[in-house]
Structure formats: C-alpha cells, structure tokens
Amino acid sequence: MKLKKTPSMKRLCQPRIRKAVVFLLTFLTMLAVLSPSVSAKESELLEAPVYVDNQPVQTKYVMRDGHMMVPAMFFKHTGTEVNWNEKYDSIVFRLGGTRFANPTGTKYIDYQKAGTDQWERDTWATASIHVDGQTFVPLVDVARRLGLRVDYDRVAKRTTIQNPNERTARRIGSGDPSGRQIALTFDDGPDATYTPQILDILKDKGVPATFFVVGRQVDQFPELMQRIVKEGHGLGNHSFTHPDFTGIQSSEVREELFKTQQSMSRAVNRLPDLFRPPYGNLTRADEDFLHEKGFRIVMWSVDTLDWTGLSGDEIFNRVQNNIKPGGIILQHNIDVNPGMLDGTVEALPRIIDELQGQGYTFVTVQTLLD
C-alpha cells in the first residue's frame, strides 16, 4: 500500500530535505576543489619548436581533443596581427584581407567577408582555452583559416607553417663593409647616471654616437635629450616601456612605437626612422608593421654584453675581437643596478682610441646606412 503524506508529515520532511540538499552541495564543492580540474592538467605545458618560414619558433603548447593548441600570440610570428577585443571578449586575427575573431573559450569564429562589412559565423574543431594567463587556440585551424600552409613531417616529427607572401622587411646588422666606418650605439636611456658620463667622453673624443632611447626615459630627462641632439648624436626609437614585442598585442606594438615618437618630438622635435627592438625580439608581424610605417630595423654586429656587468677590459676585448668595417657596436646607458655599466664607461675611451688607430671612423647609424 502506498503511504499518503499528510500536511504534518510534509512539514517534518522539509528540514531533512534542506539538510540533504546542503550536504550534497557541500560535497560537490569539496569534490570540485580536491579533484584535479581540466585546466590544472592543461597548465602542465609542453614546449617544442614550430618551423615558421623555415625558422624554428619555440612555443609552449597543450594537446586537447587531439589538437595542438598554441598561444594566440604565436601567430604574430607568421605575420598575423593579433589583438584582444575587450568588448566581445575575443581574440582577433588579421593577415592581409583575412580577418576573424574567436570569442575565447568557445569553438566559434566570426569572420569578415572579403570586401564587405558583413560578418558570418563558423566553428573550429575544438574550443580555445585559457592557460597561465594566455589564450591557446588550435594551431591547424587558425593557420588554415589565415591561408597559411601547415604540414607535419612524421619522419622529422616537425610542424611547419609557411606564409606564401614574400617578406618585405629586413633587419639591419651592419653597414657598408667596403668602407672603414663604424657606429657606436647606446640603448635604454637617457638616464642621470651613465648618459652624462658617456656624453662627456664622446665630446672629449669628438666622436658621434647613436642613442636608441626609451620613451618614458625621454619624458623623464628631456634636458639630456636636448644635449644629445645639440652635440651631434643620432637618435633611434627603442619603444616606450621596453617590453618583449613577441608577447604583446599588435595594437600595443603600435602604441609603444608612436608614444616614443611623440616623446622625442616634444623633447627635441625629432622623428627618427630608426628602430631597435627591446631584447632584439620581433615577430614577422612587427617587422611588417615597422616596414609599412617607414622604419629601418637596426640590430648590431658587436654585442658588448655590458649589461651583464662585464669589466672594461672584457668589453674592450669583445669589441676588439669582433669589429669589422660597417660594424654597429651595442652598449647601454641606464642605471638599472648600481655599478652595472661602470665597465662601459671605462672601456669607451679605449675603444675609440684603439679603433681610430686602426683607421676606423666613427659615424652615426644614420650616416652609416645612408
């Protein structure tokens, strides 16, 4: 016989039901906390090179549903602009006339039809994911949507991506090797400790140099910028806050570049066309943008490694052993750690005297390249 519940019995059962529900919710919460989550497993990142335009690019990745997931910013190495759209919580990719967005955490993509303002929706094989503060996207799906060639060599166990468009930008490491001209360059300043000492030496020796300046330093020391220009030295852009360009959005690269140009314009009314990337790191997307805006990307042929705290003798020997006609010498002029660049100041007059004795002439990078 089925027991029929009376109103008094229902009232008696309600507290028990509430207790059971509370217990169940507590248990599920504890289970979620104590159990290894999907994101915890995915945060155990792997690392491998992916060959982009035949050059290895080391990248972190995770495997999900049989798909290799890489950071969205990786695609800057292929020449793709990558940006974050806060309004729609999505990663936006653009290469040439191809533009599409992925609302993060989903397998949807919204793509713009060529030559129109219309957007349509499609799907990927698997959803993008957040790992260690980055958005990871399916490598093959993104590459093919961008029109890139992607292959996997099973014998060499190598993933390759090829941008069919020819590279137009180039990095300049030295000048004309047929002459006897060389250029001294100083990065990261100006600053109140080392820049005046270096300027004093250059003035005493009658030698010009080129200063690749950081925008926030320019804003802090406009008088030193004015002295640099007044005493005949060249200028180059070295970003505003000195970030690693490979890890920031394409829009942030633009901001770093143009804010520094604005700072130099305010301080000394100069807008140089030379750019040196912080840490020497750039992606193809960054190079293409700089080339489009008329900048020459200047690297170096002699790295003194002065930022490591080398002595004057060690810096002098590195220059002496590696200098060649057309050479560009990399040094620094910012007081990050007390005494770090004392070797730079000590070595500089010796470098100038020795190389002039060998028949070299010191010029600005602008003169070396023009």
Side-chain angles (χ1 to χ4, degrees), residues 233-299:
H233 304 295
L235 294 176
N237 190 315
H238 194 45
S239 81
F240 194 83
T241 63
H242 205 275
D244 183 341
F245 275 27
T246 63
I248 64 174
Q249 301 173 51
S250 299
S251 60
E252 292 174 312
V253 169
R254 290 179 172 83
E255 185 177 8
E256 288 283 335
L257 184 74
F258 292 135
K259 283 183 69 175
T260 304
Q261 292 293 91
Q262 292 168 357
S263 294
M264 286 189 282
S265 179
R266 284 194 300 268
V268 292
N269 198 28
R270 295 286 179 90
L271 292 172
D273 68 343
L274 306 180
F275 178 81
R276 175 173 284 166
Y279 312 105
N281 293 340
L282 277 181
T283 68
R284 179 171 176 176
D286 304 324
E287 293 173 349
D288 290 345
F289 171 72
L290 287 160
H291 178 74
E292 176 188 328
K293 296 303 179 182
F295 285 88
R296 291 180 285 182
I297 303 169
V298 179
M299 306 302 280

Side-chain angles (χ1 to χ4, degrees), residues 151-207:
D151 295 289
Y152 180 71
D153 187 330
R154 295 186 181 278
V155 176
K157 296 182 178 180
R158 174 184 296 180
T159 301
T160 62
I161 295 179
Q162 196 77 26
N163 185 329
N165 301 308
E166 184 179 355
R167 283 181 179 266
T168 54
R170 70 186 185 97
R171 304 185 187 194
I172 303 169
S174 59
D176 185 358
S178 64
R180 299 290 288 179
Q181 293 184 330
I182 53 178
L184 291 166
T185 67
F186 297 91
D187 287 10
D188 298 351
D191 88 315
T193 302
Y194 289 110
T195 305
Q197 296 181 67
I198 289 168
L199 288 172
D200 288 346
I201 295 170
L202 296 173
K203 184 176 182 180
D204 180 64
K205 298 293 184 180
V207 166

Side-chain angles (χ1 to χ4, degrees), residues 180 351-360 362:
R180 299 290 288 179
I351 290 171
I352 294 171
D353 290 344
E354 175 63 27
L355 296 185
Q356 284 182 331
Q358 295 179 25
Y360 284 106
F362 290 92

Side-chain angles (χ1 to χ4, degrees), residues 64-342:
R64 183 170 188 178
D65 301 330
H67 294 271
M68 184 180 186
M69 312 283 287
V70 297
M73 291 301 163
F74 164 83
F75 281 93
K76 288 180 60 187
H77 291 284
T78 71
T80 303
E81 291 185 9
V82 183
N83 287 299
W84 172 257
N85 187 311
E86 291 187 6
K87 181 178 179 181
Y88 296 103
D89 189 26
S90 61
I91 294 288
V92 183
F93 301 89
R94 188 178 78 83
L95 179 60
T98 301
R99 184 182 180 207
F100 61 91
N102 166 236
T104 57
T106 76
K107 60 174 61 176
Y108 299 113
I109 57 168
D110 297 313
Y111 65 94
Q112 189 172 16
K113 296 182 68 174
T116 73
D117 293 330
Q118 297 179 351
W119 289 75
E120 294 191 4
R121 174 155 286 192
D122 202 348
T123 59
W124 283 336
T126 188
S128 56
I129 55 176
H130 289 294
V131 182
D132 290 353
Q134 300 183 78
T135 299
F136 281 63
V137 295
L139 175 71
V140 173
D141 283 353
V142 175
R144 288 178 176 169
R145 174 65 67 170
L146 289 166
L148 303 169
R149 293 195 296 266
V150 55
D151 295 289
Y152 180 71
D153 187 330
R154 295 186 181 278
V155 176
K157 296 182 178 180
R158 174 184 296 180
T159 301
T160 62
I161 295 179
Q162 196 77 26
N163 185 329
N165 301 308
E166 184 179 355
R167 283 181 179 266
T168 54
R170 70 186 185 97
R171 304 185 187 194
I172 303 169
S174 59
D176 185 358
S178 64
R180 299 290 288 179
Q181 293 184 330
I182 53 178
L184 291 166
T185 67
F186 297 91
D187 287 10
D188 298 351
D191 88 315
T193 302
Y194 289 110
T195 305
Q197 296 181 67
I198 289 168
L199 288 172
D200 288 346
I201 295 170
L202 296 173
K203 184 176 182 180
D204 180 64
K205 298 293 184 180
V207 166
T210 304
F211 290 81
F212 286 90
V213 298
V214 171
R216 62 186 177 190
Q217 295 297 119
V218 173
D219 290 345
Q220 189 173 355
F221 300 104
E223 296 84 3
L224 281 172
M225 285 292 294
Q226 292 159 13
R227 180 183 172 188
I228 288 171
V229 170
K230 183 179 179 181
E231 295 181 2
H233 304 295
L235 294 176
N237 190 315
H238 194 45
S239 81
F240 194 83
T241 63
H242 205 275
D244 183 341
F245 275 27
T246 63
I248 64 174
Q249 301 173 51
S250 299
S251 60
E252 292 174 312
V253 169
R254 290 179 172 83
E255 185 177 8
E256 288 283 335
L257 184 74
F258 292 135
K259 283 183 69 175
T260 304
Q261 292 293 91
Q262 292 168 357
S263 294
M264 286 189 282
S265 179
R266 284 194 300 268
V268 292
N269 198 28
R270 295 286 179 90
L271 292 172
D273 68 343
L274 306 180
F275 178 81
R276 175 173 284 166
Y279 312 105
N281 293 340
L282 277 181
T283 68
R284 179 171 176 176
D286 304 324
E287 293 173 349
D288 290 345
F289 171 72
L290 287 160
H291 178 74
E292 176 188 328
K293 296 303 179 182
F295 285 88
R296 291 180 285 182
I297 303 169
V298 179
M299 306 302 280
W300 54 84
S301 60
V302 181
D303 187 351
T304 63
L305 295 178
D306 59 347
W307 59 272
T308 64
L310 294 183
S311 68
D313 286 339
E314 290 170 316
I315 292 171
F316 175 82
N317 289 334
R318 287 189 64 84
V319 174
Q320 176 76 345
N321 294 335
N322 294 283
I323 194 65
K324 293 179 181 179
I328 299 175
I329 302 170
L330 169 63
Q331 294 177 276
H332 296 81
N333 67 315
I334 189 167
D335 187 15
V336 178
N337 296 316
M340 183 181 74
L341 296 180
D342 287 356

